[in-house]
Amino acid sequence: MRMRHAAIWSVLALCSGLAGAMPAAAQQALSAGAVQAQILVIEPDRLYSETILGKGLSAKVDEQGAAIAAENREIEAQLTAEERDLTEKRKALSMEEFRPLANAFDEKVQQLRQQQDTKVRALGALSDDSRRQFLVTIQPVLAGLMQEAGAVLVLDKRGVFASVEAINITEAAIARIDAEFGSEEAGTPADQ
């Protein structure tokens, strides 16, 4: 266990020491705001949540989610009223008369639940599609940042154990994406 901790600390020390070990030209480029590294990292969730384009796409998904939630509340109120009415009828009806009404109500509840579950799954698919569309749309921006940095690889920061923060281009990518797509109708990337 101690060797494992020692190895982790060694990697962290190496990563934090990388900035000091970089050539002077690379350090100047980093201090001037232009990253020069062969490997870069981004935070895709931040790109989606903090850019005008991502916020627009997300708002469309949120709007549909709110509509489904409102519809669910409406259905719940309707079913609660029907259940109360059915409970009152039970007092006056025989079991043979009541059972078909209860079965019909149960069937209605199951059908509504399936319909709403289908809508929620479709909303999840829409959310996934929006994120994929976003990443496809911003690919040229990321490619440009890679080229400027002399990078050959961009990694998702969530999959990186440790890195120098200087190779994180998320802020630069957000600024570029907003500059490129911020004037378009939010959340509607141009066809490419």
Side-chain angles (χ1 to χ4, degrees):
M1 185 71 154
R2 287 184 189 185
M3 288 193 63
R4 189 167 156 203
H5 287 297
I8 291 171
W9 285 110
S10 296
V11 169
L12 290 174
L14 174 66
C15 288
S16 63
L18 285 176
M22 284 189 225
Q27 286 183 16
Q28 285 176 338
L30 286 174
S31 65
V35 176
Q36 294 295 304
Q38 290 189 339
I39 298 175
L40 303 171
V41 296
I42 59 165
E43 299 169 62
D45 290 340
R46 280 192 58 211
L47 293 181
Y48 189 72
S49 67
E50 294 182 22
T51 59
I52 294 168
L53 177 63
K55 287 176 186 177
L57 291 168
S58 182
K60 289 179 181 182
V61 172
D62 292 346
E63 183 179 306
Q64 287 191 17
I68 291 171
E71 188 176 25
N72 284 343
R73 287 189 298 274
E74 221 174 274
I75 290 169
E76 182 181 359
Q78 175 190 1
L79 291 176
T80 300
E82 286 182 37
E83 185 178 32
R84 270 192 229 115
D85 184 48
L86 195 57
T87 301
E88 288 299 315
K89 286 181 180 179
R90 185 170 192 265
K91 295 175 187 176
L93 298 174
S94 70
M95 190 54 96
E96 293 80 28
E97 294 171 313
F98 177 74
R99 182 152 318 276
L101 296 175
N103 289 341
F105 178 75
D106 287 342
E107 187 176 315
K108 179 179 181 177
V109 169
Q110 294 303 321
Q111 285 177 338
L112 288 170
R113 183 176 291 137
Q114 287 176 339
Q115 290 171 359
Q116 294 309 103
D117 286 348
T118 299
K119 290 177 185 179
V120 169
R121 282 192 301 278
L123 181 64
L126 175 65
S127 178
D128 292 344
D129 290 345
S130 292
R131 286 180 178 271
R132 275 191 291 279
Q133 176 187 12
F134 173 77
L135 291 174
V136 167
T137 301
I138 67 165
Q139 191 67 33
V141 172
L142 297 179
L145 287 167
M146 279 180 66
Q147 185 176 16
E148 290 171 21
V152 294
L153 183 65
V154 175
L155 299 173
D156 183 331
K157 186 169 177 157
R158 294 173 297 197
V160 175
F161 177 72
S163 68
V164 176
E165 189 57 32
I167 65 169
N168 186 338
I169 60 166
T170 303
E171 290 295 329
I174 289 170
R176 292 263 178 99
I177 293 165
D178 282 351
E180 176 106 8
F181 302 106
S183 62
E184 295 181 30
E185 181 182 327
T188 310
D191 293 334
Q192 296 185 8

